[in-house]
C-alpha cells in the first residue's frame, strides 16, 4: 500500500506540472561555462573562495560536462559579493545579544566571449541566524559556519536560476 501511495503522489505531481528547479538548460543553449573567482567587496576574508567553490561544486554535481577551462568555454560566470550585513535578532537585556543574522548579497552574470551579458542576477541574497556565545571565538566560529551555509545556499540558487528553462 505504501508503494501504491508513492506512485499516486508521483503521478499527481507529474500531472500538475510540478518540476524541480535547475533541471533545464543554460540560457541561449550555452554548452560550456568557466566560473571565475568572485570579486569580494564585503571585507570578509576568503568569502569569495567559498562562494566560487560552492558554485563550481553545483556544476560538478549536476552538470559536469558544462564546466570548461577559460580558453575553451563559450561563457564566463562571474560575480561580486556586494555586502555582508549583520544584525541582532534576539537579546537578553539591552547589552547582551543572544542571536544574530548574517546576510550575504551578491551580483552574478553570465557573459559570452565578447563580454555581452547573457544572463544576470542582481542583489541575490540569503541569510542565516547564528548564536552569540559568551566566548567571542565561539561566536566567530558560529558566524563562519553561517556564512559557509549561505555560500552553499547562494550557489544552489544561482545554479537553479541559471538553468531554469528559458
Amino acid at each position: 500500500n505504501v508503494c501504491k501511495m508513492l506512485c499516486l503522489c508521483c503521478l499527481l505531481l507529474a500531472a500538475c506540472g510540478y518540476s524541480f528547479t535547475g533541471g533545464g538548460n543554460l540560457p541561449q543553449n550555452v554548452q560550456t561555462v568557466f566560473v571565475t573567482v568572485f570579486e569580494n567587496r564585503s571585507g570578509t576574508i576568503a568569502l569569495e573562495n567559498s562562494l566560487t567553490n560552492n558554485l563550481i561544486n553545483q556544476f560538478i554535481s549536476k552538470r559536469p560536462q558544462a564546466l570548461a577551462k577559460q580558453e575553451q568555454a563559450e561563457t564566463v560566470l562571474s560575480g561580486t559579493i556586494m555586502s555582508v550585513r549583520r544584525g541582532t535578532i534576539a537579546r537578553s537585556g539591552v547589552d547582551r545579544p543572544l542571536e544574530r543574522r548574517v546576510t550575504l548579497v551578491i551580483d552574478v552574470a553570465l557573459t559570452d566571449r565578447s563580454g555581452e551579458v547573457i544572463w544576470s542576477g542582481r542583489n541575490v541574497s540569503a541569510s542565516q541566524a547564528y548564536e552569540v556565545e559568551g566566548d567571542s571565538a565561539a561566536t566567530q566560529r558560529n558566524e563562519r559556519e553561517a556564512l559557509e551555509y549561505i555560500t552553499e545556499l547562494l550557489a544552489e540558487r544561482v545554479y537553479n536560476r541559471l538553468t531554469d528553462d528559458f
Side-chain angles (χ1 to χ4, degrees):
N1 279 345
V2 173
C3 185
K4 288 180 183 178
M5 290 300 291
L6 286 173
C7 288
L8 180 61
C9 287
C10 288
L11 286 172
L12 287 173
L13 288 174
C16 71
Y18 181 85
S19 65
F20 295 103
T21 60
N25 295 315
L26 291 166
Q28 297 182 12
N29 293 316
V30 167
Q31 299 298 312
T32 55
V33 176
F34 174 74
V35 180
T36 66
V37 176
F38 275 52
E39 180 184 348
N40 187 354
R41 295 183 185 169
S42 74
T44 303
I45 297 170
L47 202 51
E48 68 279 7
N49 296 327
S50 178
L51 181 59
T52 303
N53 288 338
N54 283 316
L55 193 49
I56 290 169
N57 286 337
Q58 285 291 313
F59 277 93
I60 289 171
S61 67
K62 296 175 182 171
R63 195 181 300 244
Q65 71 281 5
L67 283 176
K69 294 179 181 176
Q70 187 170 12
E71 55 277 356
Q72 298 167 336
E74 294 174 87
T75 58
V76 174
L77 185 62
S78 60
T80 303
I81 298 171
M82 301 304 291
S83 66
V84 175
R85 296 186 303 243
R86 297 161 179 88
T88 300
I89 57 175
R91 295 182 182 275
S92 172
V94 177
D95 294 340
R96 171 101 168 83
L98 295 174
E99 193 173 24
R100 290 189 180 131
R101 176 178 293 123
V102 62
T103 302
L104 181 58
V105 180
I106 65 170
D107 287 349
V108 62
L110 182 69
T111 55
D112 64 16
R113 288 178 182 257
S114 70
E116 182 180 334
V117 176
I118 297 172
W119 173 89
S120 67
R122 295 190 45 84
N123 296 315
V124 182
S125 67
S127 299
Q128 179 66 21
Y130 64 94
E131 275 188 54
V132 176
E133 302 194 25
D135 177 20
S136 65
T139 299
Q140 288 175 350
R141 182 186 67 245
N142 292 347
E143 183 182 278
R144 278 193 311 274
E145 289 172 359
L147 283 167
E148 179 58 33
Y149 172 77
I150 291 171
T151 62
E152 291 171 11
L153 185 61
L154 281 174
E156 183 176 15
R157 282 185 187 167
V158 166
Y159 180 86
N160 286 342
R161 286 185 184 183
L162 185 63
T163 58
D164 277 344
D165 283 320
F166 286 84

